[in-house]
Amino acid sequence: MLMKCLDWACSPGMLPNRNEDHVHFDRRLALVLDGATGLGDPLLTGESSDAEWLVHAFTQKLIEAIDHHNSVLEGLSQAVHGVTELFWQKLGKRCSLPKHRLPSAGMALAALEGEEILLARFGDCSLQTLSQGVIQSPFPASPLEKLDNRAIASLNQQIHTGKSYSAARSSIKDTLKEHRNTMNTQGGYSALSVDPECLSYLEVKRIPIQHAPQRLLLASDGFAAAFEAYNICTAENIFMGETKAFSTLIKKIRLTEKKDIELKRYPRLKPHDDASALLIEVKS
């Protein structure tokens, strides 16, 4: 059994020199990360953003851990502990910070392990499977979606009163902090973070190889907007190769965002979002 990458994308959204998404693919591991920098001033010096540092540092730690013949879940644990230690080393001291100040990330992961395919998720990254012509989502909707929808409704209300995006976004900062502080808590949402407690909230599903899906689609919410919000295509179109290259989809996502720069037709938290995805074929 092996995995083959059919297409991939990792496109920055708001700032061309900053991409808080990250993708990785090799013969045993497919990974999409959707970073979120803490709310407030940056904590790490010399980095483009705290979240961009997190997604790259975590990926490196995970690959190193798996290379040492650990299971994927053992590798995830070692990577989280390793990146947590490295974060506090870079910060210069350990201190008590509210969750909303810390970098975090959503994650979609697929890995071949023994006689199984392991799927894992943090947050609201999209992970879908295609098996015998049927598309399924192995994990339920993330609680983060409800929180984001609540914040988006508040933001949209402010925009419709005539406020600029910057002013409207500033007016909901307390709501965003409140939501972020539910990260990795009972009743809140899961996220990769610089705190090993996040491992208790990781969602995991194992699929025996004899029931392996033919294809997998892993995507950040910025990419999934193409089929979840913007009606550019459907997930089925992507699985069946009917959308041309992912680079073409990215262009359509950016055009849709540009045409709705005031966020009125498609209410959302950012005018442009980082967008990343992997389309994987599983072959025997």
Side-chain angles (χ1 to χ4, degrees):
M1 187 70 66
L2 59 86
M3 296 194 299
K4 177 182 178 182
C5 181
L6 300 179
D7 206 347
W8 69 278
C10 191
S11 168
M14 295 283 284
L15 299 172
N17 296 323
R18 178 186 298 175
N19 189 350
E20 295 179 340
D21 279 9
H22 187 54
V23 302
H24 171 82
F25 175 80
D26 61 41
R27 58 183 173 80
R28 68 234 154 125
L29 177 68
L31 178 69
V32 170
L33 293 168
D34 180 3
T37 287
L39 302 174
D41 294 332
L43 296 172
L44 302 179
T45 58
E47 301 294 342
S48 177
S49 80
D50 294 353
E52 186 170 19
W53 172 85
L54 172 63
V55 297
H56 286 269
F58 170 78
T59 300
Q60 182 178 350
K61 293 287 186 184
L62 178 60
I63 295 169
E64 290 172 355
I66 296 176
D67 279 345
H68 283 83
H69 307 291
N70 293 293
S71 71
V72 176
L73 292 184
E74 289 172 340
L76 280 166
S77 178
Q78 288 189 24
V80 168
H81 281 85
V83 81
T84 297
E85 186 65 29
L86 186 57
F87 173 78
W88 291 112
Q89 287 177 5
K90 287 180 66 67
L91 197 59
K93 61 179 179 179
R94 282 188 177 269
C95 56
S96 178
L97 291 171
K99 291 178 183 289
H100 73 260
R101 293 285 284 116
L102 299 172
S104 58
M107 180 188 81
L109 177 150
L112 295 178
E113 188 168 61
E115 297 300 311
E116 296 177 321
I117 293 179
L118 183 141
L119 307 177
R121 185 184 72 165
F122 279 122
D124 63 350
C125 279
S126 176
L127 203 166
Q128 299 190 54
T129 65
L130 174 68
S131 183
Q132 304 300 322
V134 178
I135 297 172
Q136 293 183 316
S137 297
F139 303 110
S142 168
L144 182 56
E145 294 179 27
K146 286 186 178 180
L147 295 174
D148 279 352
N149 288 339
R150 193 180 305 160
I152 289 168
S154 297
L155 180 68
N156 195 42
Q157 185 178 31
Q158 295 297 318
I159 288 174
H160 276 83
T161 66
K163 288 185 178 180
S164 67
Y165 167 74
S166 295
R169 176 85 180 199
S170 180
S171 71
I172 67 165
K173 63 182 180 181
D174 289 340
T175 297
L176 295 174
K177 289 178 181 179
E178 177 187 341
H179 292 174
R180 193 72 69 88
N181 286 336
T182 69
M183 175 174 57
N184 298 324
T185 62
Q186 292 296 326
Y189 69 96
S190 67
L192 170 67
S193 69
V194 287
D195 188 335
E197 72 170 356
C198 71
L199 294 164
S200 298
Y201 297 90
L202 176 68
E203 298 172 273
V204 176
K205 184 177 180 63
R206 298 178 183 273
I207 303 175
I209 281 182
Q210 60 267 32
H211 301 302
Q214 283 81 52
R215 292 188 175 183
L216 300 162
L217 176 62
L218 291 67
S220 66
D221 60 348
F223 186 93
F227 52 86
E228 291 181 347
Y230 301 155
N231 298 314
I232 294 171
C233 64
T234 65
E236 182 178 9
N237 294 149
I238 295 175
F239 273 119
M240 299 304 177
E242 299 169 351
T243 57
K244 298 184 179 180
F246 277 7
S247 57
T248 300
L249 267 182
I250 292 292
K251 289 178 182 178
K252 291 181 178 180
I253 289 171
R254 299 300 175 224
L255 181 60
T256 300
E257 292 171 335
K258 186 176 180 180
K259 287 182 176 179
D260 185 41
I261 200 66
E262 295 182 347
L263 287 69
K264 292 182 177 179
R265 181 175 182 183
Y266 301 109
R268 55 199 189 276
L269 287 175
K270 302 176 185 176
H272 307 281
D273 198 4
D274 301 337
S276 301
L278 287 167
L279 180 61
I280 305 300
E281 185 175 44
V282 181
K283 303 185 72 174
S284 58

